[in-house]
Amino acid sequence: MRSLARTAAGDPLLGDDDGFVPLDAAYPDVSSVRDALPRATEGLPNVESATADPLSREGITFGPPLADPGKLFGIGLNYADHAADLSEDPPDEPASFFKPGTAATGPGGPIRLPPREQSDRVTAEAELAVVIGRTCRNVAVEDADDVIAGYTPVVDMTAEDVLERNPRFLTRAKSYDTFLVLGPHVAVPGPGVTLDDIEVRTVVNGEVRARNTVANMHFSPRELVAYHSEVMTLEPGDVISTGTPGAHPIEPGDHVRAEVDRIGSVAADVVR
């Protein structure tokens, strides 16, 4: 399957010259992503010579940009304001946890809430996620860009009532099927692109429920990559969700969207 660079015109969150190239899918490593772009268009016919009728995008659904994601990390309380809202002290080290690959779903979802007897209060939260592009270990912060394939927006869910019963239930509260919406593309930064001014927004039914910028994270995306590479080997396709500016309760019929400036957005409908 070939992956073609997508233009920024279709997404208002992506500027025409913002240092990021959105891709439909991630390649095994950073160099492959950049080297593959010229090859991807070789041999493709011009639009005028195509024999197939064009298809409307309406009614077409897409899977996640990573067909087979690896380790899925979540980071708790990574924004100062979010920790304060929850009356929690900010952690001295990244508060990371795992989600299973079966929790991942693609743009549009739907997000399937568990039966009410299992959880009656689920929240959704927008996040910026890092996609690892190279197998690595003990990476320095200043070298993190060499192992990052790119970035993608995600919507993360939590069964809050399960978690409140006991903090040891965090894995269960985070692991229901469809509790991580990935995509719709991986945005590849150019050399030296800063992330600090990127704003992340949790949007439910068209209303912004939480927002904050990467500069207000306790641990930057590059620091999170370096930190976790000291604990374990990171591999292509691993995803680190870098934390949320804030969560909001969701119910069947809701529409949830994660908006990340210069990276893009991903949305899904909520059902039970």
Side-chain angles (χ1 to χ4, degrees):
M1 179 183 295
R2 286 172 170 156
S3 177
L4 305 182
R6 299 177 62 185
T7 62
D11 194 328
L13 300 175
L14 295 171
D16 292 330
D17 186 17
D18 57 11
F20 287 85
V21 177
L23 299 179
D24 281 316
Y27 277 83
D29 58 47
V30 177
S31 61
S32 295
V33 171
R34 293 170 179 148
D35 294 346
L37 294 181
R39 297 197 307 269
T41 56
E42 291 179 2
L44 293 181
N46 295 327
V47 174
E48 293 77 9
S49 62
T51 57
D53 293 329
L55 294 176
S56 170
R57 181 156 182 163
E58 294 182 5
I60 298 177
T61 58
F62 295 87
L66 301 174
D68 187 18
K71 297 185 286 292
L72 301 176
F73 296 85
I75 309 296
L77 304 176
N78 200 28
Y79 286 88
D81 293 347
H82 187 215
D85 290 343
L86 298 175
S87 300
E88 296 274 1
D89 294 328
D92 296 327
E93 302 173 52
S96 55
F97 56 89
F98 276 131
K99 295 174 76 90
T102 50
T105 189
I111 299 165
R112 299 195 303 273
L113 302 182
R116 289 194 184 277
E117 57 267 23
Q118 295 182 24
S119 174
D120 196 32
R121 189 168 78 257
V122 174
T123 58
E125 48 220 50
E127 303 194 19
L128 165 68
V130 180
V131 180
I132 301 299
R134 286 180 174 164
T135 300
C136 60
R137 190 77 158 84
N138 297 319
V139 178
V141 174
E142 58 269 22
D143 296 328
D145 284 349
D146 293 338
V147 303
I148 294 174
Y151 299 85
T152 192
V154 304
V155 182
D156 183 32
M157 264 61 63
T158 308
E160 291 282 0
D161 48 353
V162 173
L163 180 59
E164 286 179 359
R165 289 204 300 271
N166 191 321
R168 292 175 182 265
F169 297 166
L170 175 62
T171 296
R172 188 199 318 168
K174 287 284 192 178
S175 295
Y176 289 95
D177 290 350
T178 73
F179 265 32
L180 187 69
V181 184
L182 288 165
H185 52 241
V186 173
V188 180
V193 171
T194 181
L195 305 174
D196 286 352
D197 61 339
I198 289 177
E199 185 177 77
V200 180
R201 294 179 292 277
T202 301
V203 182
V204 180
N205 298 329
E207 184 175 350
V208 176
R209 295 295 187 171
R211 65 199 315 159
N212 213 328
T213 58
V214 171
N216 292 323
M217 288 182 175
H218 292 298
F219 306 98
S220 72
R222 294 177 175 103
E223 289 173 325
L224 291 171
V225 170
Y227 180 87
H228 288 88
S229 76
E230 294 177 355
V231 178
M232 68 193 76
T233 298
L234 301 181
E235 300 170 304
D238 289 351
V239 177
I240 303 176
S241 296
T242 60
T244 183
H248 189 76
I250 54 175
E251 293 288 346
D254 286 345
H255 184 74
V256 182
R257 187 168 71 253
E259 296 181 349
V260 183
D261 288 343
R262 298 162 55 207
I263 304 297
S265 63
V266 65
D269 295 320
V270 182
V271 301
R272 190 179 298 279

